[in-house]
Amino acid sequence: MTVRAGRQPAVFAGQAGAFNFQIGNPGRHSRYAVHLALQSELAIGLAPAETRTATLYQTTARRGWLQPQTLTVSSLYPLGLFRAWAPLRFDNPLLVYPKPAKRQLPFPESGDGQVAQGLSRRQGDEFYGLRPYQRGDAIRQIHWKTFAKGQGVFSKQYAGAGSSELWLDYQQAPGHNSEERLSQLCRWIVDAEKAGLRYGLVLPNLRVPPDTGAAHYRQCLQALALF
């Protein structure tokens, strides 16, 4: 049998990381009751010349690269009296993004018009975030769910698709330490992408220009993961 490491999709911290392995049987005889174990376990069988993808899971706790634990391949076939096994180590890390903050805080705003921070807002009809309530805001704009949780009074903001540009700056992100700030930036990136906004990211060692789409989304999240 042959075992090769596959590609791993990135996950957020706290989610189960999925490690993919290509299991091949180049021989002319079927392989029965092949047992694979990482943190999760899986039993498969292979026909002659068959190759299958086996996905095994491992818990994630922190951001960054996560190497898989030892993959154990074993079998008790055919009688169940003897166990043949082999421990395998692979250098195929999985990328873990920070865990998004739970609280839905408003996007950062620019008070002085500087390019490196804040949101350039235009009128429109698509919801894109929250801001602190200001006298004169319509009652229908109040975000009652946040108010009911005792998190303060916020007004919903709207913008036309593609009409807003948002800068997410590490220095503006609330938090008592770097991990809390990265968690909040992660929350903002997820929300901005869902809202279809153009957003940029500013870290002490990196600046990602505003854009949108899957590639930009992954680029920003990877920057947080490897910060």
Side-chain angles (χ1 to χ4, degrees):
M1 293 181 58
T2 61
V3 182
R4 296 184 175 88
R7 299 182 63 181
Q8 279 63 248
V11 298
F12 294 98
Q15 294 180 333
F19 287 92
N20 297 312
F21 300 93
Q22 301 295 323
I23 314 297
N25 176 20
R28 295 180 296 175
H29 302 283
S30 296
R31 306 293 181 180
Y32 300 101
V34 178
H35 187 264
L36 308 170
L38 201 60
Q39 274 189 349
S40 64
E41 301 180 1
L42 180 66
I44 64 173
L46 294 170
E50 181 184 9
T51 298
R52 292 182 56 180
T53 298
T55 302
L56 297 167
Y57 297 91
Q58 188 171 314
T59 57
T60 64
R62 62 182 64 185
R63 63 185 175 86
W65 291 110
L66 175 67
Q67 289 283 3
Q69 297 179 358
T70 300
L71 173 67
T72 301
V73 183
S74 63
S75 181
L76 293 171
Y77 184 82
L79 301 178
L81 299 177
F82 302 98
R83 178 175 180 260
W85 62 280
L88 304 176
R89 297 287 296 180
F90 291 95
D91 182 17
N92 61 321
L94 176 149
L95 185 60
V96 182
Y97 301 142
K99 184 177 182 179
K102 293 182 179 180
R103 293 185 61 189
Q104 186 182 23
L105 297 180
F107 291 128
E109 297 185 34
S110 175
D112 54 8
Q114 293 297 316
V115 176
Q117 61 182 351
L119 181 66
S120 301
R121 294 172 295 166
R122 302 178 186 177
Q123 295 301 318
D125 57 1
E126 293 193 7
F127 173 74
Y128 71 84
L130 304 174
R131 65 169 172 79
Y133 174 81
Q134 298 176 2
R135 179 175 294 183
D137 288 347
I139 295 297
R140 64 177 180 277
Q141 288 183 252
I142 295 177
H143 194 260
W144 295 109
K145 187 175 182 180
T146 302
F147 176 74
K149 292 181 179 180
Q151 298 175 356
V153 184
F154 294 95
S155 294
K156 292 179 284 187
Q157 300 177 86
Y158 296 85
S163 65
S164 298
E165 190 171 274
L166 174 66
W167 280 96
L168 304 175
D169 194 330
Y170 177 87
Q171 300 299 335
Q172 289 182 293
H176 296 94
N177 52 52
S178 61
E179 294 304 319
E180 290 185 3
R181 289 190 174 194
L182 293 174
S183 180
Q184 183 56 56
L185 286 172
C186 186
R187 172 81 273 164
W188 280 337
I189 289 172
V190 171
D191 292 344
E193 184 65 27
K194 287 182 179 180
L197 296 175
R198 284 177 56 84
Y199 57 93
L201 177 65
V202 180
L203 297 175
N205 61 343
L206 180 68
R207 180 186 179 93
V208 181
D211 203 347
T212 188
H216 179 67
Y217 177 71
R218 290 193 297 268
Q219 180 186 9
C220 291
L221 291 177
Q222 178 171 324
L224 298 185
L226 302 181
F227 176 73

